[in-house]
Amino acid sequence: MRNYLFLFLTIHLLLGSCKNDPNSCGDGNYDQSILLENIGQDLILPNFNALKANSELLNNNVQAFISNPSTSNLEIVRTSFRSTYMNWQNVEMFNFGPSESVQLNTKINNFPISPILLEANISAGSYNIEAPENYYSGLPALDYLLYGVGVNETEILNTYINSEGHRLYLSDVTTSMYNNIKTVTDEWNNNYINDFISNKGTAAGSSLSLII
């Protein structure tokens, strides 16, 4: 949290020193690449990497759970789900570049979830988890699938023991999440980080404007 507060204050001071020329700030000698490198290397990349690692763990834990639905395995999935949700809060604001290209925000955290649509998908056995602006996938869908398919833990567990459709849907949701997160994270690490750092200025489309 302190890192994000520092980021906010730094950008606020930087913009406060800007003159009428949108590409001229302070004395004109400030190297934005230092700021952008700090934001990219110390904030964005570590948080995307953590999200990728936890979403992969979540997906692996889900696969173990659907192979062997048990109380202990369900709790393991729930724990990794909560960790992934917390990781997501640290990157959701960076909805530009690779994230915008794959519409990551709408695929990971489009809410509110529609249990009616979700259950209809399961009943039909036919659905498109990757459809943009849907209300039956991502973290909100997992929230329902892990806590809302029964009135208590026993009913929830029995749902997965008895319903192949629910097991498959749970797997499809977490697999989709991981694949999309991996795509965005790999793009940041491989190419986009350099583009982000070099995209200086304060005009629309610059890295600083995208952050703001």
Side-chain angles (χ1 to χ4, degrees):
M1 179 61 70
R2 284 180 294 181
N3 286 336
Y4 288 103
L5 178 60
F6 174 77
L7 169 61
F8 170 78
L9 291 174
T10 301
I11 294 175
H12 178 72
L13 291 172
L14 177 62
L15 293 181
S17 67
C18 290
K19 300 176 182 178
N20 291 332
D21 181 356
N23 290 309
S24 175
C25 290
D27 59 7
N29 294 321
Y30 179 74
D31 185 0
Q32 282 189 23
S33 60
I34 298 173
L35 172 64
L36 296 175
E37 182 175 1
N38 177 258
I39 295 172
Q41 297 285 3
D42 297 337
L43 290 177
I44 298 178
L45 284 187
N47 282 302
F48 264 115
N49 288 333
L51 176 63
K52 176 184 173 183
N54 274 314
S55 64
E56 182 177 20
L57 178 62
L58 171 61
N59 191 39
N60 291 339
N61 289 339
V62 163
Q63 305 313 315
F65 170 70
I66 62 177
S67 296
N68 179 26
S70 67
T71 300
S72 59
N73 282 341
L74 176 60
E75 185 54 37
I76 290 172
V77 171
R78 285 173 167 176
T79 298
S80 55
F81 161 70
R82 290 190 291 268
S83 296
T84 301
Y85 222 140
M86 293 298 293
N87 288 143
W88 172 250
Q89 303 306 312
N90 291 328
V91 304
E92 187 171 14
M93 69 193 78
F94 305 120
N95 186 35
F96 52 82
S99 292
E100 186 177 20
S101 296
V102 303
Q103 298 180 292
L104 191 65
N105 277 22
T106 60
K107 290 181 178 179
I108 301 300
N109 198 32
N110 210 30
F111 59 87
I113 192 67
S114 171
I116 295 175
L117 289 176
L118 190 153
E119 291 290 351
N121 285 343
I122 293 175
S123 296
S126 176
Y127 43 82
N128 180 11
I129 292 291
E130 299 294 327
E133 299 290 347
N134 78 64
Y135 293 91
Y136 47 76
S137 66
L139 290 165
L142 286 185
D143 194 12
Y144 170 76
L145 290 166
L146 297 177
Y147 296 93
V149 294
V151 297
N152 53 47
E153 190 169 276
T154 299
E155 282 196 10
I156 292 171
L157 193 59
N158 284 336
T159 295
Y160 289 102
I161 292 173
N162 299 319
S163 173
E164 181 180 0
H166 282 83
R167 295 195 300 271
L168 178 60
Y169 201 88
L170 179 63
S171 174
D172 287 345
V173 169
T174 55
T175 298
S176 171
M177 284 176 50
Y178 170 65
N179 287 338
N180 283 297
I181 290 169
K182 181 180 184 300
T183 295
V184 171
T185 302
D186 289 350
E187 181 61 24
W188 264 102
N189 280 284
N190 294 334
N191 299 303
Y192 190 73
I193 183 62
N194 294 325
D195 296 338
F196 176 79
I197 294 171
S198 63
N199 186 19
K200 295 182 286 187
T202 56
S206 67
S207 293
L208 193 60
S209 73
L210 293 173
I211 286 289
I212 295 169

